[in-house]
Amino acid sequence: MRRSPNQLCFRASIARHFSNVNHHRPLRTLNARNLSFSTPATSSHGLRNNSKRLNVVACITGISLGAYTLQNYWYGSNLRSDAPSEVEEERLRRDSRQLRRILHGSKLDTQYGVDVEHILKRCEESVENSGPGVRRYDINQIASNSPTEDDHSEAVVRSPSGSSWHFWAVIDGHVGWETSTALSERLIPSVNGALRGLYNRNANPTSSDIDSAITQAFLNLDDEFVNKSLEKALNTKSRGEVSHILSQALAGAVALLAFYDPSAGQVKVALTGDLRAVRGRKGADGKWETTVLTIEQDGANEDEAARIRKEHPGEPDVIKDGRVLGWQPTRMFGDAGLKWSVENQKEVRKRFLGGRVRDVVKTPPYVTAEPVITTTDVKPGDFLILGCDGIWESLSSEEAVSLVGLWLESSTSKAKRLSSVPPLAAKGPKSSRFGGWFGKSTSQSAGDASHSKEKTVRYEQWRIPKTFVTVDENVATHLIRNSLGGEDTETMRALLTRTGSLARRLR
């Protein structure tokens, strides 16, 4: 997701396939997923969150100073009479190399050449029969920065009625990893808690009641990140402690959550930000039909732009060039610089090393974490794709659905060339790169599909045709591979070699 100009995170795509397979698997949380659903016997499930890998990076930061000091001390000590023995020197060199591997290990991905297959597949994982109604899901992720600002989570829990609820979340962070990590740990538990409270009060809530519960869970969580943390910080004297307290407010993230209740035969998708969810379904003619379930919430969305202009009269540049005061999404978690009052921002700057209050910030809040929720039915054989803009800037919704459909139908992992038509030659489904293999594109549940930006700009930027392949056992990897050049492995290798800001500009 592009949070500021030229910043892009290449997020894990999630494909989900609905079926009637009867099997059971306990809850798992993964770092990369591709989903499918089944109907196992009912049992009690716990709620679990994903790894805290990013916290490890924070813990190691101080060690780099120690390692550097240690090395320089001993190198200097070699000139002294009390220099260490050869055994001690070897041990210190070994310890230093180990520390460097911890601190700089990610550089090995590109320092001596790129192993494309390793980078593509190291985060992939597949889960079979995770719970009732879900046959399988696959996950994968490739980061554009380190530590990665993106995250995800998933859970299967027992509902108050004894059935199973499935949750999946894709989270795209910016200006740090703190908000996205907090969401990976707390978003699903918060929504689950809100729904359990609703069902405990009313065993048969309406769809609107469920939407309201999910919405309130999103808003309450953001209120904790942004407002409750500020209240606590203003009553704290320690700068160091306040920096930690405000970390989830000062960073930011967008989130896409899917809630599947097999007993209802429906999936609810809640979006805060500019991610996208798509449903694939095989039609009577054997072709895959595409239904876009979300509308990107950004300054290019006319409804969102009109809403914000109405909330901030007298600020003609509040939306400019498709951005909200320079930011692309119009709905976000965190990002207190767009939500706190000017007075509070000045107080945080004065007391706690906060950032400068931007001149354009006059009447916050400008953005909200309130999600837009859509509901769609699911049938055996359907699948969902959840992904961030790293996918959708390369693949249209129809292309992604057709690629997953082809993957499902492919009986072999042998590479299959699909087309080599230059991107600009494609005029629509009938003349697509798949040579008419696409099925219908249906309007999205949320409203007019014209709001959904289908700007697949990356292949044009890379100056290569879209030539897709089917070689992966994990369908999320399959989507990512074809989002990074497909058959053109040389371009893919070049893209994966780039790091830092260069990587964000290209992928």
Side-chain angles (χ1 to χ4, degrees), residues 419-497:
S419 92
S420 57
V421 181
L424 297 179
K427 301 297 183 182
K430 295 293 186 181
S431 60
S432 70
R433 301 112 177 122
F434 287 86
W437 188 77
F438 282 124
K440 298 185 291 183
S441 177
T442 61
S443 62
Q444 56 195 131
S445 305
D448 183 2
S450 64
H451 283 298
S452 184
K453 55 178 184 181
E454 299 274 5
K455 299 176 182 177
T456 59
V457 298
R458 290 301 180 182
Y459 274 86
E460 184 177 357
Q461 178 189 12
W462 303 331
R463 297 181 179 86
I464 61 173
K466 286 188 173 181
T467 307
F468 302 133
V469 293
T470 305
V471 297
D472 295 291
E473 295 181 2
N474 180 295
V475 71
T477 305
H478 171 62
L479 285 174
I480 290 177
R481 183 188 298 276
N482 286 295
S483 298
L484 284 172
E487 189 181 57
D488 191 338
T489 57
E490 284 301 305
T491 294
M492 190 182 307
R493 187 155 65 99
L495 293 171
L496 295 178
T497 299

Side-chain angles (χ1 to χ4, degrees), residues 121-150:
K121 297 180 179 181
R122 62 183 169 184
C123 292
E124 71 177 14
E125 194 160 352
S126 302
V127 177
E128 301 276 356
N129 304 310
S130 63
V134 181
R135 194 178 78 188
R136 167 175 169 151
Y137 62 85
D138 293 274
I139 316 161
N140 202 352
Q141 173 179 353
I142 294 179
S144 292
N145 50 9
S146 180
T148 181
E149 296 174 332
D150 314 316

Side-chain angles (χ1 to χ4, degrees), residues 161-175:
S161 66
S163 63
S164 292
W165 286 343
H166 299 260
F167 297 91
W168 300 272
V170 173
I171 304 152
D172 194 346
H174 49 269
V175 198

